[in-house]
Amino acid sequence: LPAVLLKDTKLMDVKLGQLGTWLAMRDFTPGGILGAMRRGYERYYNKYINVRKGGIGGLSMVLAGYIVLSYMWSYSHVSKYN
């Protein structure tokens, strides 16, 4: 079983003591951030949307996320403690 480099390790497989080193190896440039967002979107799309027998799970997560974000954005208008 070949050892996997820390740079190529997924976040869920990183031990707590290695977290700082792992974060230091990430690419936080605009291109790196956009690439990570693109990979995340593709992973989400292929897991929940682009399936043979799709359910309502993927679309309901997008809707729930939209509802939470819109509430957070308008919280100052809704709150009575302004």
Side-chain angles (χ1 to χ4, degrees):
L1 188 67
V4 177
L5 296 174
L6 184 60
K7 178 182 176 188
D8 298 330
T9 306
K10 294 180 181 178
L11 177 60
M12 294 299 293
D13 298 331
V14 174
K15 293 183 174 56
L16 192 56
Q18 301 171 329
L19 186 60
T21 308
W22 184 84
L23 281 172
M25 292 182 187
R26 301 292 99 198
D27 183 12
F28 289 107
T29 62
I33 293 171
L34 286 175
M37 290 175 67
R38 180 182 46 81
R39 287 189 304 274
Y41 170 77
E42 289 174 358
R43 186 174 296 146
Y44 171 82
Y45 182 81
N46 287 326
K47 186 173 182 178
Y48 293 107
I49 307 298
N50 190 22
V51 293
R52 285 189 191 172
K53 285 188 157 185
I56 192 139
L59 294 176
S60 64
M61 283 195 300
V62 170
L63 181 62
Y66 173 74
I67 290 170
V68 169
L69 279 176
S70 64
Y71 180 77
M72 287 173 22
W73 288 329
S74 65
Y75 181 76
S76 63
H77 300 297
V78 176
S79 174
K80 65 179 181 177
Y81 300 109
N82 292 10

